Amino acid sequence: YMKNILIFGLGVSGQGVLNFCKEREINFAVYDDDASKCIGNLDDLSVVDLVVSSPGVPKDHKFLLTIKEAGWKLISDLQLFKYFAKPSIKIIWITGSNGKSTTASLMYHILKKAGKNVFFGGNIGNTPLVKEAFEAEFCIFEVSSFQLEITNFIFDASAILNISNNHSASHG
């Protein structure tokens, strides 16, 4: 039902969304502060179904205000993954100020050792929007607080590790 996606930011996450759209023949447009990255095959933005934002975009970014004024739904690449994933895939996320990569990696190795088909990705540079993730039994995602702000679904398991004030400028 999603035919027209606006990709906000063309970093690692945005590039994953872009490749996903191309593979599934979904119309897309890219908005990035670097105008040379603004590409796409979607000419009429009035038909945008949703906006997939890269994590870490400042809350006061001028384009976020445009998105809100237009009434577009803003989601993360994790949310887009969930829309297209098989219901049988178990999704686990790990977040917190420190230790996310170590904990998620440990969980990945435990499940792998148990003979499970596991994908490890998220905010560590591996987009969830790849074939391996869609074919996995378990997806373990290292998730930033910024991704969680625009992700709205129930995970099968989650862990919030230690929390410090390192993002207090963004979260208050």
Side-chain angles (χ1 to χ4, degrees), residues 47-122:
V47 298
V48 166
D49 295 312
L50 55 84
V51 179
V52 182
S53 179
S54 294
V57 172
K59 288 182 182 182
D60 61 350
H61 193 286
K62 63 184 187 284
F63 194 64
L64 277 180
L65 300 175
T66 303
I67 290 168
K68 290 175 184 173
E69 288 172 10
W72 290 328
K73 183 173 182 169
L74 180 68
I75 66 168
S76 69
D77 56 346
L78 293 171
Q79 185 78 47
L80 187 61
F81 171 79
K82 180 64 174 173
Y83 286 150
F84 286 88
K86 297 178 295 193
S88 62
I89 296 175
K90 301 295 182 209
I91 301 174
I92 302 165
W93 61 261
I94 311 292
T95 195
S97 297
N98 300 299
K100 295 183 296 288
S101 297
T102 303
T103 304
S105 179
L106 179 62
M107 187 170 289
Y108 168 81
H109 288 293
I110 290 170
L111 287 169
K112 202 73 167 153
K113 187 77 171 168
K116 304 298 181 186
N117 180 354
V118 187
F119 176 81
F120 177 32

Side-chain angles (χ1 to χ4, degrees), residues 5-10 14 17-18 21 28-32 51-52:
I5 292 178
L6 178 59
I7 303 165
F8 182 21
L10 200 58
V17 177
L18 175 64
C21 288
F28 65 90
V30 175
Y31 175 85
D32 192 279
V51 179
V52 182

Side-chain angles (χ1 to χ4, degrees), residues 123-140:
N123 199 39
I124 59 163
N126 296 332
T127 176
L129 300 170
V130 294
K131 181 180 175 186
E132 296 82 9
F134 288 104
E135 293 175 350
E137 290 176 80
F138 291 88
C139 287
I140 300 170

